[in-house]
Amino acid sequence: MNQVRVRFAPSPTGYLHVGGARTALFNYLYAKHHHGVFVLRIEDTDLARSTEASTRAILDSMAYLGLDWDEGPEKGGDYGPYFQSQRLELYKEYAEKLLSMGRAYECYCTPEELDQIRQEAAAQGRDPKYDGRCRNLTDTQRREFVRQGRKPVIRFKADFEGTTLVDDLIRGQVIFDNNQLDDFVIIKSDGMPTYNFAVVIDDALMRITHVIRGEDHLSNTPKQIQIYQALGFTVPQFAHIPMILGPDRTRLSKRHGATSVGQFQEEGYLAEAMVNYLALLGWAYDDSQTIFSKTELIEKFSLSKVSKNPAVFDLAKLQWMNGVYIRELSLDELYQRTLPLFKSWGFVPQEVGSELEAKVKSVLRVLQERVKTLADLKEASCYFFQDEVRYDEKAVSKVLFKEGAAEILSSLLPELLAVKDYTQENLEPVFHKAQEQRQCKLADVIQPVRVAVTGTNVSPGIYDVLAILGRARACQRIKDALALIKSRQEGQVHDG
């Protein structure tokens, strides 16, 4: 068997969609499983929409996911160039070959004439496909069109007889009636190739053995097979993977939320979690295993276990999986991954000393079990680093303004100021003592302090929070909370 060679060929007209990332991942896993070659090719012949920024975003997203390509941009290889815009002479060469073989012809129809063909077909209940009127032009007709200044396209002369069989590695045998085809355009009037033509030339010349792509390309396959056969190229094996749908079972789009890999990266999803989750969109090793390392995915991946059915993108499941991966990080690794975020949020300066590093790690230690994404840390940790507390109005109203809250804070404040060794272990007895004195639940003592020092009624353990904040900052916040309560009480008296 020849060495497996697969490719991922995105168009740089936007960011890398999770559907494209899943396609890239399946190609990557298949290549690595078979010790083959993973090629990255940029299909940038849509000059009006292709941008360098989009190309950079795609490359960066691939790098973030760890989908390292063997050949392609920034790597090179024996079958380049790997940008379609740099391969135009190749498309021209093979289009001219098809012309000389009689398997292609120049078509001089204007857009208005093509629109009329479609309208007439629709009126007669026929498929609105090209009727082949330029298939057999005489030299006289051709010269007249040229004299009129018409610029021709080049159309492939399709075989309308019989059927085309697609032996798909996922969907089995799919048979297409050739009479459903028309003479499709392979070179546009501006000299640029169409997708169905360029992809065949590129895949053939790059020795691609397996074309793994979305099922939306299945309908293009018979056209492409006819080009392969006309040029005497070896037809690769095809595998059309299922589409990704949103929760409403429509095609995943921006209306469902984040859909680009870059967005998920910015929102604090770990690459390991993204790769793991994307792999499960349409593939399953067995029903008992959900968490896979990349090494395990490479070892276990096979096209035989890819489903024919659409996959539903479940954000809640991705968040759960991301939380699993966050909890599995060592504290040092979590610190290295999150430090750039803390800097970007303004929580820490660019230069972090050992004392501040220890504080950040303490914060991460108490929050690691509580967040689903790294971005969640911004809201969850802000009160550790900011001077002023941002109070949650509901928490203040429910807890701080509750009868008895001021008395609890007032009695605890001198105790906290008096604790000799200000640690979690020494803080806990202070709260139990207050509970016993007031004959109440421990939560009734803890919650006013929690809201006072964090601004919210949800946080890690209060002893950890107080220890990380430090005595001075924690006690000052309790004083500020008492002042807030007093101000409200005075206002009520005045209003009364």
Side-chain angles (χ1 to χ4, degrees):
M1 179 180 176
N2 292 332
Q3 183 184 40
V4 166
R5 290 179 58 85
V6 300
R7 51 73 171 174
F8 175 55
S11 297
T13 56
Y15 297 107
L16 181 60
H17 186 275
V18 292
R22 194 272 308 263
T23 299
L25 175 61
F26 280 17
N27 277 278
Y28 173 88
L29 294 176
Y30 191 80
K32 298 308 174 186
H33 180 84
H34 291 280
H35 307 287
V37 176
F38 176 47
V39 178
L40 177 63
R41 183 175 72 231
I42 303 298
E43 298 191 341
D44 60 344
T45 53
D46 186 346
L47 299 181
R49 298 173 60 217
S50 297
T51 67
E52 289 186 12
S54 292
T55 299
R56 185 71 262 163
I58 290 170
L59 299 183
D60 289 346
S61 292
M62 294 280 287
Y64 153 69
L65 293 172
L67 303 183
D68 192 26
W69 53 98
D70 301 300
E71 296 177 18
E74 302 179 347
K75 294 287 184 71
D78 295 335
Y79 302 98
Y82 294 92
F83 287 83
Q84 283 190 334
S85 60
Q86 299 171 15
R87 300 172 62 84
L88 299 183
E89 287 301 314
L90 289 169
Y91 309 133
K92 180 180 178 182
E93 174 188 340
Y94 282 95
E96 290 175 350
K97 184 174 182 179
L98 288 172
L99 285 169
S100 67
M101 295 166 57
R103 289 305 307 270
Y105 60 91
E106 293 179 329
C107 171
Y108 292 85
C109 293
T110 65
E112 294 76 19
E113 290 169 338
L114 294 172
D115 186 56
Q116 183 180 0
I117 292 171
R118 286 190 288 268
Q119 290 182 15
E120 290 175 354
Q124 297 172 16
R126 294 183 287 106
D127 290 335
K129 58 185 183 180
Y130 182 64
D131 61 6
R133 63 180 60 184
C134 287
R135 247 190 184 227
N136 301 297
L137 293 177
T138 64
D139 289 341
T140 301
Q141 290 172 313
R142 190 174 293 105
R143 284 194 296 269
E144 174 58 22
F145 287 143
V146 171
R147 188 193 66 79
Q148 294 174 12
R150 298 192 184 195
K151 292 186 176 181
V153 300
I154 299 177
R155 291 183 180 272
F156 179 74
K157 189 177 287 186
D159 180 2
F160 301 135
E161 300 294 326
T163 60
T164 296
L165 171 67
V166 180
D167 197 4
D168 194 276
L169 294 173
I170 295 172
R171 301 176 182 282
Q173 291 190 344
V174 184
I175 300 174
F176 292 89
D177 287 327
N178 289 339
N179 60 17
Q180 299 299 310
L181 301 178
D182 64 358
D183 291 344
F184 52 93
V185 175
I186 58 174
I187 300 291
K188 294 180 282 189
S189 59
D190 61 1
M192 299 300 286
T194 60
Y195 165 77
N196 280 316
F197 183 58
V199 74
V200 171
I201 305 305
D202 290 341
D203 286 345
L205 298 184
M206 291 182 181
R207 306 292 192 267
I208 300 302
T209 60
H210 296 74
V211 174
I212 304 170
R213 59 189 180 185
E215 67 174 324
D216 52 329
H217 288 290
L218 182 59
S219 60
N220 293 322
T221 309
K223 297 178 181 179
Q224 294 168 13
I225 287 177
Q226 285 206 12
I227 297 175
Y228 277 108
Q229 293 171 339
L231 290 170
F233 291 144
T234 300
V235 179
Q237 291 189 277
F238 292 96
H240 289 90
I241 59 182
M243 300 300 292
I244 300 178
L245 306 179
D248 58 358
R249 302 197 71 80
T250 61
R251 188 166 182 172
L252 187 67
S253 65
K254 290 181 180 179
R255 69 177 179 278
H256 296 113
T259 58
S260 77
V261 172
Q263 282 178 283
F264 284 106
Q265 182 181 6
E266 290 175 3
E267 291 177 10
Y269 289 86
L270 302 185
E272 303 96 307
M274 286 298 299
V275 166
N276 191 158
Y277 183 70
L278 290 173
L280 298 179
L281 289 176
W283 173 85
Y285 180 68
D286 59 39
D287 294 333
S288 63
Q289 186 172 357
T290 304
I291 303 299
F292 295 86
S293 67
K294 186 189 288 186
T295 300
E296 288 178 305
L297 288 173
I298 291 171
E299 176 190 340
K300 299 178 185 300
F301 186 80
S302 70
L303 292 174
S304 64
K305 291 187 175 292
V306 175
S307 173
K308 300 181 181 69
N309 301 318
V312 176
F313 193 93
D314 184 346
L315 183 60
K317 185 173 182 179
L318 172 59
Q319 289 175 339
W320 165 82
M321 186 172 288
N322 200 61
V324 170
Y325 276 92
I326 288 175
R327 292 190 291 275
E328 289 182 349
L329 294 175
S330 70
L331 190 57
D332 284 341
E333 190 173 6
L334 182 60
Y335 173 77
Q336 292 301 325
R337 295 201 189 200
T338 56
L339 185 59
L341 294 176
F342 282 109
K343 290 179 179 179
S344 70
W345 298 331
F347 290 179
V348 300
Q350 291 302 307
E351 296 297 326
V352 177
S354 57
E355 185 176 342
L356 184 53
E357 177 181 335
K359 177 180 178 178
V360 173
K361 286 184 176 179
S362 295
V363 171
L364 292 173
R365 177 178 57 79
V366 298
L367 291 176
Q368 187 170 11
E369 297 284 332
R370 305 175 69 89
V371 296
K372 294 179 180 178
T373 72
L374 299 183
D376 290 345
L377 288 167
K378 182 177 184 180
E379 185 68 24
S381 70
C382 61
Y383 53 81
F384 287 112
F385 301 99
Q386 295 175 338
D387 291 332
E388 293 186 5
V389 176
R390 292 187 289 111
Y391 290 110
D392 177 82
E393 291 184 6
K394 290 184 178 179
V396 169
S397 177
K398 181 180 179 180
V399 179
L400 279 191
F401 293 161
K402 184 179 178 180
E403 185 178 351
E407 289 78 3
I408 291 173
L409 294 177
S410 296
S411 64
L412 278 172
L413 183 57
E415 297 288 338
L416 295 175
L417 287 168
V419 173
K420 290 185 179 181
D421 189 8
Y422 191 82
T423 63
Q424 297 98 311
E425 294 79 6
N426 292 336
L427 289 169
E428 186 172 355
V430 173
F431 283 79
H432 285 286
K433 178 182 176 182
Q435 176 198 7
E436 292 171 4
Q437 290 175 342
R438 301 187 67 83
Q439 293 293 302
C440 64
K441 295 179 181 179
L442 186 60
D444 293 334
V445 179
I446 289 175
Q447 283 298 79
V449 178
R450 173 173 280 126
V451 175
V453 299
T454 71
T456 177
N457 56 359
V458 179
S459 78
I462 191 61
Y463 315 126
D464 286 315
V465 170
L466 290 172
I468 295 170
L469 280 173
R471 188 198 309 264
R473 179 172 281 187
C475 290
Q476 182 59 52
R477 288 183 180 181
I478 292 174
K479 292 177 183 177
D480 292 341
L482 285 168
L484 179 66
I485 296 170
K486 182 179 179 181
S487 174
R488 181 179 185 273
Q489 291 173 339
E490 290 175 350
Q492 288 179 334
V493 170
H494 179 75
D495 291 342

